[in-house]
Amino acid sequence: QLYREARECLTLLSQRLGSQKFFFGDSPASLDALVFSRLAPLLKAKLPNGKLQQHLKSLQNLCNYCTSILSLYFPWDGGESRPPPHPAGSAGEAEEDPHKRRNQLLSVLVGLVAMLGYAFLSGIVSIQRGGVGPAGRQPIAMEEEEEEE
């Protein structure tokens, strides 16, 4: 009973799609996303019982529909060509984001400046000016905040 209803549903979807690219014309709608999310796994997955999958494969317009969406929105999954995997730290990673090191360094510096600014503004750290010491250095004292009870 369940397989029969599922086959009927697939047949009705095929009839509704007809020769259109998407269910409501030339651009995808939320229905296309929903239908694709159900059809693609059914079409691509290896199933223990392939009755429903065979029926879907017999509906050529639904197969073309899935293939079209895969190649349009997921070119690395739907087509034959996949981007080659890059091992971590390889030159391919540097090509992918040439400014990665710079961005990491800037992130660390911004975080450090923010923390130091907070420490100075909240009074956790303060700089006291004093006389010049024997080595020509000015002493820097750190004050501790006392908790109010």
Side-chain angles (χ1 to χ4, degrees), residues 26-137:
D26 290 334
S27 61
S30 57
L31 177 65
D32 292 292
L34 180 69
V35 170
F36 174 77
S37 72
R38 300 301 193 263
L39 293 182
L42 180 60
L43 186 63
K44 297 290 184 179
K46 295 185 185 217
L47 302 173
N49 186 343
K51 290 180 188 177
L52 201 55
Q53 191 175 51
Q54 289 302 322
H55 182 66
L56 176 58
K57 287 181 179 180
S58 72
L59 302 169
Q60 196 59 46
N61 65 338
L62 288 180
C63 292
N64 293 341
Y65 169 79
C66 287
T67 303
S68 169
I69 291 177
L70 278 172
S71 64
L72 185 62
Y73 294 105
F74 307 99
W76 58 91
D77 276 348
E80 292 296 318
S81 62
R82 284 191 168 181
H86 297 297
S90 71
E93 187 175 299
E95 291 172 8
E96 187 175 303
D97 189 4
H99 304 293
K100 184 175 181 179
R101 281 279 185 222
R102 184 195 66 189
N103 292 342
Q104 288 175 340
L105 182 63
L106 284 175
S107 297
V108 169
L109 288 175
V110 167
L112 184 61
V113 168
M115 287 189 291
L116 286 174
Y118 174 76
F120 281 113
L121 292 175
S122 65
I124 295 173
V125 175
S126 66
I127 299 175
Q128 295 178 347
R129 296 205 176 250
V132 177
R137 296 183 190 163

